[in-house]
């Protein structure tokens, strides 16, 4: 189930996003706390496949299933979800964490997707849109097949789940900044920063022009807590640096911790004075160095001129906040 929240004194927004993030340890170790993030909407068929890692170098672990399903004949948008505990496997490099979904009717294959993209080493759980398929027979089983088998590398990946959605009704798989694009808004990263790894404790630099002045700053944090309900990480916090070339111009206060029952939140971190124009920003994990990952993605930031007014958005509305200069 998706979860969203806003932590700011100026406005409240409600948003939809499909997540990232999870937790386990080591190649081949299974994690029963990870849950499928795909929404169960009207007419959809969502199937849990396996949270056990498939391995491309092991014939016995290169497939998962078959799993019983009931997918009527018809036209379907197919979505699949890959999982691996990259947050706890720093410096791992496996570039073929990919798998194929096969649909069966009476033991005969009637549907096969292309291979998923590789699950990024900075992402634990990711949803992939696999395209639209038309079946003339009802599916009664699905199975997952590792796309890289046989290989000399494990390329560990779990085929967490799959979803069949009537054509045109599939979910949005991409996290998006809640603020409308424009001056003062910068998209940073959907990749998880990790507080226990120097190489993953920052994101950027990202090109961004901001004039000198006084600005109210809002930072948006994101992690896939919906898919890892038993995680406890109390310092999923970050701050933003503004740079002019190689010169550090400002550092914002840090966000609050992203609550474990929330997938993403907007944090008002206060007002800053920018003494010189900047041309780039960097996100920095506030808890680095730490013995825990405290995984968090610095999704985006917005700078509002001090003295402007913000429109309060109803929690039942998916529209992002708007600002009007005073």
């Amino acid at each position: 189930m998706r979860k969203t929240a806003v932590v700011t004194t100026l406005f409240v927004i409600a948003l939809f996003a499909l997540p990232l993030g999870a937790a386990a340890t080591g190649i081949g170790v299974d994690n029963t706390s990870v849950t499928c993030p795909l929404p169960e909407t009207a007419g959809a068929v969502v199937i849990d496949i396996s949270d056990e890692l498939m391995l491309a170098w092991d014939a016995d672990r290169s497939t998962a299933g078959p799993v019983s399903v009931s997918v009527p004949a018809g036209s379907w948008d197919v979505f699949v979800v890959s999982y691996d505990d990259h947050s706890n496997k720093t410096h791992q490099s496996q570039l073929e964490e990919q798998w194929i979904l096969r649909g069966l009717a009476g033991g005969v294959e009637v549907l096969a997707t292309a291979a998923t993209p590789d699950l990024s080493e900075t992402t634990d759980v990711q949803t992939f849109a696999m395209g639209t398929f038309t079946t003339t027979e009802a599916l009664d089983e699905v199975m997952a097949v590792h796309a890289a088998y046989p290989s000399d590398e494990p390329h560990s990946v779990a085929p967490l789940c799959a979803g069949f959605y009537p054509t045109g009704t599939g979910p949005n798989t991409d996290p998006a900044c809640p603020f409308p694009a424009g001056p003062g808004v910068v998209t940073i990263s959907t990749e998880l920063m990790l507080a226990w790894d120097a190489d993953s404790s920052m994101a950027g630099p990202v090109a961004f022009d901001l004039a000198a002045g006084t600005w109210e700053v809002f930072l948006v944090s994101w992690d896939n807590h919906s898919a890892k309900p038993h995680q406890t990480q109390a310092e999923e916090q970050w701050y933003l640096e503004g740079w002019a070339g190689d010169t550090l111009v400002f550092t914002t206060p840090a966000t609050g911790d992203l609550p474990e029952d929330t997938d993403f939140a907007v944090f008002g971190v206060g007002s800053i004075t920018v003494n010189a124009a900047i041309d780039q920003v960097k996100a920095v994990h506030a808890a680095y160095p730490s013995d825990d990952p405290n995984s968090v993605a610095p999704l985006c930031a917005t700078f509002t001129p001090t003295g402007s007014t913000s429109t309060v958005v109803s929690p039942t509305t998916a529209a992002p906040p708007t600002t009007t200069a005073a």
Side-chain angles (χ1 to χ4, degrees):
M1 178 179 182
R2 64 182 172 82
K3 289 166 264 185
T4 58
V6 174
V7 184
T8 172
T9 57
L10 296 185
F11 52 73
V12 179
I13 56 177
L15 301 157
F16 177 88
L18 288 176
L20 286 110
T25 306
I27 293 173
V29 177
D30 306 324
N31 185 342
T32 57
S33 71
V34 183
T35 57
C36 180
L38 291 173
E40 297 186 12
T41 56
V45 180
V46 178
I47 313 105
D48 291 322
I49 302 176
S50 179
D51 58 9
E52 297 185 0
L53 297 174
M54 295 190 299
L55 303 177
W57 62 7
D58 183 351
D60 292 337
R61 298 197 61 177
S62 64
T63 63
V67 177
S68 296
V69 297
S70 181
V71 180
S75 182
W76 302 95
D77 291 338
V78 178
F79 293 77
V80 300
V81 180
S82 295
Y83 162 69
D84 191 8
D85 179 29
H86 292 143
S87 292
N88 284 326
K89 303 177 185 178
T90 57
H91 307 303
Q92 182 189 77
S93 181
Q94 298 181 6
L95 302 180
E96 296 179 83
E97 296 184 9
Q98 302 171 268
W99 58 283
I100 296 165
L101 179 71
R102 293 180 175 172
L104 310 174
V108 177
E109 181 178 300
V110 296
L111 177 151
T113 69
T116 66
D118 174 61
L119 181 63
S120 168
E121 300 300 331
T122 57
T123 302
D124 290 353
V125 177
Q126 188 165 359
T127 300
F128 297 107
M130 301 308 297
T132 300
F133 297 82
T134 299
T135 62
T136 57
E137 299 180 65
L139 305 182
D140 53 32
E141 291 180 321
V142 295
M143 66 181 299
V145 178
H146 203 303
Y149 175 81
S151 173
D152 294 332
E153 300 291 336
H155 300 297
S156 54
V157 62
L160 195 59
C161 57
F164 292 78
Y165 294 83
T167 297
T169 67
N172 175 16
T173 63
D174 298 320
C177 182
F179 302 106
V185 178
V186 55
T187 297
I188 303 168
S189 179
T190 60
E191 297 186 352
L192 296 174
M193 294 190 297
L194 304 177
W196 65 3
D197 179 66
D199 292 339
S200 300
S201 65
M202 294 185 293
V206 176
F208 176 62
D209 293 323
L210 183 73
T214 303
W215 304 89
E216 299 291 335
V217 184
F218 300 88
L219 306 180
V220 183
S221 296
W222 180 39
D223 191 9
N224 183 22
H225 291 147
S226 292
K228 41 184 178 177
H230 303 300
Q231 183 191 76
T232 300
Q233 296 181 5
E235 296 180 274
E236 295 184 8
Q237 301 170 265
W238 61 283
Y239 58 86
L240 195 67
E241 296 178 343
W243 291 76
D246 295 328
T247 301
L248 178 64
V249 175
F250 68 80
T251 299
T252 73
T255 66
D257 173 61
L258 182 63
E260 299 302 329
D261 62 352
T262 300
D263 283 348
F264 72 17
V266 178
F267 294 91
V269 295
S271 177
I272 65 167
T273 298
V274 179
N275 294 318
I278 65 165
D279 54 25
Q280 56 189 306
V281 292
K282 297 178 185 178
V284 182
H285 203 304
Y288 175 80
S290 171
D291 293 332
D292 295 311
N294 292 302
S295 54
V296 63
L299 191 58
C300 63
T302 187
F303 293 77
T304 303
T306 297
S308 69
T309 59
S310 12
T311 302
V312 177
V313 179
S314 166
T316 61
T317 305
T322 58
T323 58
T324 304

